[in-house]
Amino acid sequence: MALLQAVGVILAGLLAGEEFIVRYGVQPALRALDDRAHIRARVALVRRLRVVVPALMLPTVAVAVAVLIGAGGAGAGWRWAGLAALVAFLLFSFLGTVPINMKVVDWDADAPPGDWRAVVERWQRIDVLRSAAAIVAFACFVGALAVQLG
C-alpha cells in the first residue's frame, strides 16, 4: 500500500504541476500574443493537452480511490480531502473547460468566432478553480503521507 500511495502522490504532483504551469505560465503568455497567434497556440495546446491531461487525471483518481479504500488509519482525513479536491477538479473539467475545449479545437485563427475573447475569459475563470483543486489535492495527499509517516 505504501508503494501505491507514493505512486498516487507522484501522479497528483504531476497533475498539479501541469495545471500550475498552464494556469500561471502558459495562459499569461497566450494573452501577450496577437489574436491570430493566440488562437493558433490555444488550438494547438487543446489538441495536445486533451490527451496529456486525461492520461494523468484518470490514473490519479483511480490510485487515490484505491489508496483511500486500502490504507485507512493515519492520514485518512487528508486522503478524503484530497479525493474531494480531485472530484472538484473533475467537475470543473468535465462541466467547464472540456466543453469549451471541444469548441476551441475547431477555431480558425483567420476567422475566429465573434465571441472568442469572452469564451477564453470564461475558460480562464473556470481554470483558476480547476488548477486550484488539483494543487489542493496534491497538498492533501502529501499531508496524508506525512501524517502516515510521522
Side-chain angles (χ1 to χ4, degrees), residues 31-143:
R31 286 193 298 271
L33 299 174
D34 65 76
D35 291 354
R36 188 171 180 275
H38 178 149
I39 292 166
R40 290 185 71 205
R42 184 168 293 277
V43 169
L45 283 165
V46 167
R47 286 189 176 141
R48 174 62 67 181
L49 293 176
R50 70 180 177 181
V51 174
V52 173
V53 175
L56 281 172
M57 178 187 344
L58 300 176
T60 302
V61 172
V63 170
V65 169
V67 170
L68 184 65
I69 292 168
W78 286 104
R79 285 189 291 279
W80 275 107
L83 187 59
L86 280 180
V87 168
F89 175 81
L90 291 172
L91 290 172
F92 290 130
S93 296
F94 290 113
L95 299 177
T97 58
V98 169
I100 293 171
N101 288 344
M102 290 170 64
K103 295 175 186 173
V104 168
V105 78
D106 293 324
W107 284 358
D108 179 352
D110 295 320
D115 67 341
W116 78 268
R117 285 182 189 89
V119 171
V120 168
E121 287 176 20
R122 181 168 185 264
W123 188 96
Q124 289 175 339
R125 283 192 304 273
I126 296 166
D127 191 55
V128 168
L129 301 170
R130 185 175 175 271
S131 61
I135 293 165
V136 167
F138 173 61
C140 288
F141 294 140
V142 169

